Amino acid sequence: EGCAGLVFFGLSEARGFWVFAPLMLVLQAFSMAAGVLANSTMIELAPKEHRDQWIGYQGAFTQLSSALCPLIIMPFLSGEMEGDFPGGTYLKINGSVCLGSAIAYLALVAKFPIPKKKEPAETEEEKAAMAEYEATGNPKFLSARQLHKIQMTHLKEGKPLARATWGTFADDVPDLERIQASARDNLRYLRSLLPERLRMWHKGEAEREQIRGMMRAWAEDNTVWPEQVQKEVGQWVVDWMQHAGYTNPTSNANLYKTIFMTAFPVLMPDRSAGSEANMRDPVPGWLRMDRWMDNYIKLDRLNSREVQCITLFRMTHFRLAGLS
């Protein structure tokens, strides 16, 4: 409807048949598309249980506008033909009505009850991981989607967070590819939670207090690094670096420290997820976390690509300088 309105304004300024005729064809295309899209949008967005009701609203609006518009715009056509209005007034009024209709449709769509997203079915790997968790209490291979639900339930019920033992690098060697591959999907899922979290935060103070309560419970149970965990994590990182071919970091200590700081940038400037500043406005921290996850996904994609450019050249095509 909005595009049709703009075409009407173009028609009002058209001079000559070869300008007017193509614009009329475009106008008809936009008008037909508007009708099809309005109906399909209503059917697609309206929840199934309320779909008939909203289709009725849309039909009533269409019929009412069809009845009223001729009564509104015909006097302008008569006035233009009699010389009371300048040329093109009738078409401009048509365009204005179409633009007004587009605004009305946007307002109508904004009032739709948004349907809930359908949860994807669990994969076989997720089912196996859940069975292992239920049998042993170890959430090591749960997907981010599964673990997020469990952690949120524990926080609401005041239970400790589900935790996996860190373990040794030697134990993880058979599963290194699985761990890294699952991280890609897990990070994408965690990033998908941000829009809803931001929407809830900006919805109102009641929702903010609910989020703050969850954040406080999370911070109380998740900001302490027990000594044993520190040792296990540190040893695991060292073992991985040796496994991956990195040399003794003391040969260039600051370089390695910079790499670590770049790989794990500052998320909370005041070092505490439960700080008053973070509780007052956690959005900057959420955005830093989202950017960090996005950067990891991009870096992982780059690291996973095979370097193929060199295969485009035959080594015999290269000649050292000074040799004939």
Side-chain angles (χ1 to χ4, degrees):
E1 288 289 342
C3 293
L6 295 177
V7 174
F8 268 119
F9 278 95
L11 286 172
S12 68
E13 301 296 331
R15 298 293 182 267
F17 174 80
W18 295 110
V19 176
F20 190 88
L23 286 177
M24 280 298 297
L25 293 176
V26 172
L27 174 63
Q28 292 301 317
F30 280 137
S31 297
M32 289 187 291
V36 172
L37 290 175
N39 291 330
S40 60
T41 300
M42 188 72 64
I43 293 172
E44 182 66 25
L45 291 183
K48 187 175 181 179
E49 60 273 19
H50 302 298
R51 189 168 295 161
D52 292 341
Q53 178 183 358
W54 283 93
I55 291 175
Y57 290 156
Q58 190 261 347
F61 173 78
T62 301
Q63 297 300 323
L64 181 63
S65 62
S66 298
L68 293 179
C69 282
L71 300 177
I72 296 173
I73 63 178
M74 285 306 295
F76 292 97
L77 177 60
S78 300
E80 184 178 339
M81 294 177 66
E82 295 172 1
D84 296 333
F85 298 111
T89 299
Y90 170 71
L91 293 174
K92 290 178 180 177
I93 295 299
N94 271 278
S96 299
V97 171
C98 286
L99 291 174
S101 176
I103 294 172
Y105 268 115
L106 289 175
L108 184 64
V109 170
K111 294 182 178 295
F112 280 177
I114 302 300
K116 295 181 179 179
K117 292 183 179 179
K118 294 182 180 179
E119 285 285 342
E122 279 191 339
T123 64
E124 292 302 319
E125 285 190 354
E126 286 180 318
K127 291 178 181 178
M130 182 58 71
E132 179 182 348
Y133 170 70
E134 291 173 348
T136 65
N138 184 4
K140 179 177 181 178
F141 287 113
L142 291 178
S143 67
R145 180 164 60 100
Q146 293 173 309
L147 188 57
H148 176 73
K149 289 181 179 179
I150 291 172
Q151 303 294 38
M152 291 300 101
T153 300
H154 283 205
L155 288 174
K156 290 177 182 178
E157 296 176 354
K159 297 179 180 179
L161 296 174
R163 296 189 181 279
T165 55
W166 186 270
T168 65
F169 179 78
D171 292 336
D172 284 335
V173 168
D175 297 313
L176 289 178
E177 290 186 7
R178 179 183 179 185
I179 292 171
Q180 193 163 17
S182 65
R184 298 161 194 158
D185 292 334
N186 289 339
L187 288 174
R188 291 188 184 97
Y189 172 79
L190 293 174
R191 292 195 69 210
S192 73
L193 300 175
L194 180 61
E196 176 63 16
R197 191 176 300 165
L198 291 172
R199 188 188 69 81
M200 289 293 293
W201 179 259
H202 293 295
K203 190 174 182 180
E205 191 58 34
E207 287 74 16
R208 292 187 182 188
E209 281 304 314
Q210 181 181 356
I211 293 174
R212 288 188 181 110
M214 302 282 281
M215 289 172 58
R216 290 188 184 97
W218 177 273
E220 289 173 3
D221 196 30
N222 213 38
T223 54
V224 177
W225 289 54
E227 185 176 352
Q228 182 62 29
V229 172
Q230 295 181 37
K231 291 179 180 178
E232 290 179 354
V233 173
Q235 187 61 55
W236 196 99
V237 172
V238 171
D239 291 343
W240 159 255
M241 294 186 69
Q242 291 179 318
H243 171 84
Y246 290 90
T247 58
N248 187 329
T250 57
S251 61
N252 198 335
N254 285 342
L255 173 63
Y256 279 87
K257 291 175 183 178
T258 301
I259 291 173
F260 289 141
M261 289 188 289
T262 303
F264 295 96
V266 174
L267 298 178
M268 305 291 172
D270 55 7
R271 300 176 59 191
S272 174
S275 68
E276 187 60 34
N278 190 52
M279 290 296 170
R280 186 168 55 252
D281 184 12
V283 173
W286 293 347
L287 296 178
R288 291 190 195 98
M289 177 68 77
D290 182 72
R291 185 167 60 248
W292 173 68
M293 291 189 289
D294 182 45
N295 288 338
Y296 170 83
I297 293 171
K298 292 176 181 176
L299 180 61
D300 180 65
R301 188 183 302 121
L302 290 173
N303 289 338
S304 299
R305 290 177 182 169
E306 294 183 1
V307 181
Q308 298 177 341
C309 294
I310 194 65
T311 62
L312 299 177
F313 301 93
R314 293 170 58 90
M315 292 305 295
T316 54
H317 291 172
F318 293 91
R319 180 174 298 170
L320 295 177
L323 296 180
S324 58

